[in-house]
């Protein structure tokens, strides 16, 4: 009897030891080897897009005698908005666009702002209008945006453009919100295939979170939108192949929340105090960049990631709106890495065909193939 007890006690000790050893092994497996993290250089990619737009603008002028025109309305004297508007105007002029800038005082009435907007709506030289956001509190932002002609909506913020962005198999939007389009362009030009992948968007703003989630969904990603009320956000992020961080909180997403090998697009631009800098602050994103190193396979830096793409995509929208005014198709800037599914709403830069035209193209292709085989 004593021997039996001793044997089973011994067995239990061995089993416990084995269990411990195994647990140790699984824990060791969970800590994966560091990943080599590649930087997605938004500055360089934006320069590439701008040079393609410059070329297409020169062709449009040579072939149709039309110069794309962009008008920007700035209300008030916020330093950041002034700087964004200055950069937009500079970039537009560099690619050969005609530009108009309207600067109104902080105290301007909504009526006077709408009066200026109306003049731009009927200016034949202006193909795209942008109202720099945010607007002062006394102005109804949504109402003002709704007064921009849909076919001059440079930001793609109108209900019709956003509606078309969300509709499966509907008309393609005339313009796509610039920052979301920039995020997707970065993914495409970095060879990231999103179809069938888990994408997590952190943030649900009208400018970024909502439209980027719609675009990714139209590209066949499985999209989860996390926000301030999401419970256990980390559980979603740990399963995300693609992360779009647009929450507006400095270094909010921690490195150990990410799935090893994921791709991170950091939309945040947050100023944090830094006495070592001349300005007394430095810019950081919504993701803890240092911690994401060695975990993410690719990541955008801040600054120099999504920001420059926002302006490049504004130029793209302006060029496409100018082309549309001549009933020309959208300009294909560069072949994307993955073609959109037929009829899908697409954020790609290529020509977008309505379903009927696509059917004709497919039909012609079938006839050609049949002819060839015959
Ligand atoms: N009508 C709109 N208003 C606003 C938009 C918009 O798309 N349409 N987006 C933002 C601001 N924005 C453009 O307007 C914008 C933000 C940041 C950048 C950028 O290039 N950032 C740089 C860093 C800049 C710096 O040093 O301060 C970067 O990330 O590298 C461009 C445009 C709100 N309003």
């Amino acid at each position: 009897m004593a021997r039996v007890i001793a044997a089973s006690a011994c067995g239990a000790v061995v089993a416990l030891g084995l269990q411990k050893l195994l647990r140790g092994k699984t824990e060791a497996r969970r800590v994966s080897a560091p990943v080599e993290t590649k930087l997605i250089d938004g500055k360089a990619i934006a320069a590439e897009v701008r040079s393609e737009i410059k070329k297409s603008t020169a062709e449009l002028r040579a072939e149709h005698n039309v110069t794309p025109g962009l008008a920007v309305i700035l209300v008030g004297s916020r330093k950041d908005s002034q700087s964004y508007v200055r950069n937009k105007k500079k970039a537009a002029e560099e690619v050969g666009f005609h530009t108009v800038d309207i600067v109104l005082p902080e105290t301007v009435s909504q009526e006077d702002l709408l009066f200026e907007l109306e003049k731009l709506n009927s200016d034949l030289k202006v193909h795209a209008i942008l109202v720099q956001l945010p607007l002062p509190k006394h102005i109804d932002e949504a109402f003002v945006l709704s007064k921009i002609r849909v076919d001059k909506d440079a930001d793609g913020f109108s209900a019709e453009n956003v509606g078309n962005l969300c509709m499966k198999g509907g008309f393609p939007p005339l313009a796509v919100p610039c920052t979301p389009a920039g995020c997707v362009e970065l993914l495409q030009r970095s060879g990231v295939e999103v179809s069938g992948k888990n994408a997590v968007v952190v943030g649900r703003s009208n400018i970024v979170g909502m439209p980027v989630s719609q675009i990714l969904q139209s590209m066949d990603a499985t999209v989860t939108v996390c926000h301030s009320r999401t419970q256990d956000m980390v559980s979603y992020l740990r399963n995300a192949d693609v992360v779009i961080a647009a929450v507006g909180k400095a270094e909010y997403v921690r490195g150990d929340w990410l799935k090893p090998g994921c791709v991170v697009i950091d939309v945040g631009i947050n100023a944090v105090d830094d006495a070592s800098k001349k300005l007394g602050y430095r810019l950081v994103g919504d993701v803890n960049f240092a911690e994401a190193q060695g975990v993410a396979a690719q990541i955008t830096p801040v600054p120099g990631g999504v920001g420059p793409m926002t302006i490049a995509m504004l130029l793209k929208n302006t060029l496409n709106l100018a082309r549309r005014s001549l009933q020309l198709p959208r300009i294909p800037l560069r072949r994307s890495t993955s073609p959109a599914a037929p009829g899908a709403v697409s954020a790609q830069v290529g020509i977008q065909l309505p379903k009927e035209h696509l059917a004709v193209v497919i039909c012609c292709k079938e006839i050609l193939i049949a002819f060839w085989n015959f």
Side-chain angles (χ1 to χ4, degrees):
M1 180 67 174
R3 259 216 237 137
V4 174
I5 292 171
S8 29
C10 197
V13 169
V14 170
L16 259 173
L18 212 73
Q19 238 179 4
K20 240 185 162 178
L21 200 81
L22 279 175
R23 212 183 309 132
K25 265 203 169 163
T26 17
E27 267 157 21
R29 228 180 292 132
R30 241 183 267 142
V31 182
S32 23
V35 173
E36 198 187 316
T37 307
K38 192 178 151 243
L39 216 62
I40 299 179
D41 187 346
K43 226 171 151 182
I45 296 176
E48 198 175 283
V49 172
R50 289 199 307 272
S51 98
E52 289 163 20
I53 291 172
K54 187 172 181 173
K55 190 165 162 269
S56 301
T57 302
E59 282 166 9
L60 190 71
R61 196 172 311 114
E63 289 165 20
H64 300 275
N65 197 27
V66 164
T67 300
L70 170 67
V72 181
I73 301 182
L74 171 65
V75 181
S77 48
R78 276 179 67 124
K79 289 276 169 286
D80 55 350
S81 292
Q82 281 175 338
S83 150
Y84 299 142
V85 166
R86 208 171 31 245
N87 291 342
K88 285 175 184 183
K89 188 172 151 64
K90 183 168 168 263
E93 283 167 359
E94 271 170 15
V95 296
F97 289 0
H98 161 63
T99 63
V100 177
D101 50 327
I102 310 286
V103 181
L104 301 169
E106 180 85 23
T107 51
V108 73
S109 68
Q110 184 161 307
E111 198 188 350
D112 287 351
L113 168 57
L114 291 176
F115 180 72
E116 292 298 330
L117 181 54
E118 211 37 63
K119 281 199 276 183
L120 297 171
N121 272 339
S122 48
D123 184 339
L124 294 178
K125 283 189 174 166
V126 170
H127 302 98
I129 304 168
L130 176 145
V131 176
Q132 187 63 32
L133 302 178
L135 285 170
K137 291 252 176 325
H138 67 279
I139 292 174
D140 183 343
E141 205 164 274
F143 186 72
V144 170
L145 294 180
S146 77
K147 294 296 174 191
I148 301 175
R149 267 177 61 159
V150 174
D151 58 355
K152 291 193 177 190
D153 174 19
D155 269 317
F157 287 162
S158 70
E160 190 173 329
N161 277 326
V162 174
N164 281 327
L165 187 73
C166 300
M167 299 262 290
K168 199 171 156 61
F171 294 109
L174 304 181
V176 178
C178 305
T179 304
C183 295
V184 172
E185 193 73 35
L186 286 176
L187 290 171
Q188 290 186 315
R189 291 192 188 228
S190 307
V192 179
E193 173 63 85
V194 299
S195 173
K197 300 283 168 57
N198 292 332
V200 169
V201 178
V202 189
R204 53 177 163 175
S205 68
N206 284 338
I207 293 191
V208 186
M210 181 270 288
V212 82
S213 66
Q214 293 297 333
I215 299 171
L216 290 170
Q217 202 176 312
S218 76
M219 294 167 78
D220 299 323
T222 302
V223 185
T224 306
V225 179
C226 294
H227 46 78
S228 52
R229 295 290 177 95
T230 300
Q231 290 181 16
D232 195 10
M233 191 178 298
V234 180
S235 66
Y236 297 100
L237 283 166
R238 286 229 172 94
N239 201 25
D241 304 301
V242 175
V243 175
I244 312 281
V247 69
K249 288 185 183 167
E251 301 179 319
Y252 176 76
V253 176
R254 310 298 305 261
D256 63 355
W257 297 4
L258 300 169
K259 176 179 169 180
C262 70
V263 177
V264 177
I265 303 292
D266 192 347
V267 180
I269 303 174
N270 312 287
V272 295
D273 293 342
D274 187 340
S276 73
K277 299 283 172 198
K278 215 168 101 189
L279 295 168
Y281 70 88
R282 72 193 150 89
L283 296 180
V284 298
D286 290 349
V287 178
N288 188 313
F289 187 79
E291 289 179 3
Q293 297 287 326
V295 183
Q298 298 197 59
I299 187 168
T300 57
V302 177
V306 177
M309 291 302 287
T310 298
I311 296 180
M313 292 297 109
L314 168 68
L315 303 179
K316 187 194 136 195
N317 280 347
T318 304
L319 175 63
N320 278 331
L321 290 172
R323 288 179 63 85
R324 189 186 177 275
S325 74
L326 299 166
Q327 294 180 339
L328 293 171
R330 281 155 181 259
I331 195 78
L333 293 178
R334 185 182 188 263
R335 215 172 253 273
S336 72
T337 49
S338 63
V345 178
S346 165
Q348 290 180 26
V349 278
I351 298 171
Q352 303 202 351
L353 292 171
K355 256 185 179 168
E356 318 83 69
H357 295 190
L358 201 72
V360 173
V361 172
I362 292 168
C363 180
C364 290
K365 194 178 138 213
E366 296 301 311
I367 293 169
L368 272 174
I369 292 170
F371 186 70
W372 185 258
N373 288 342
F374 182 76

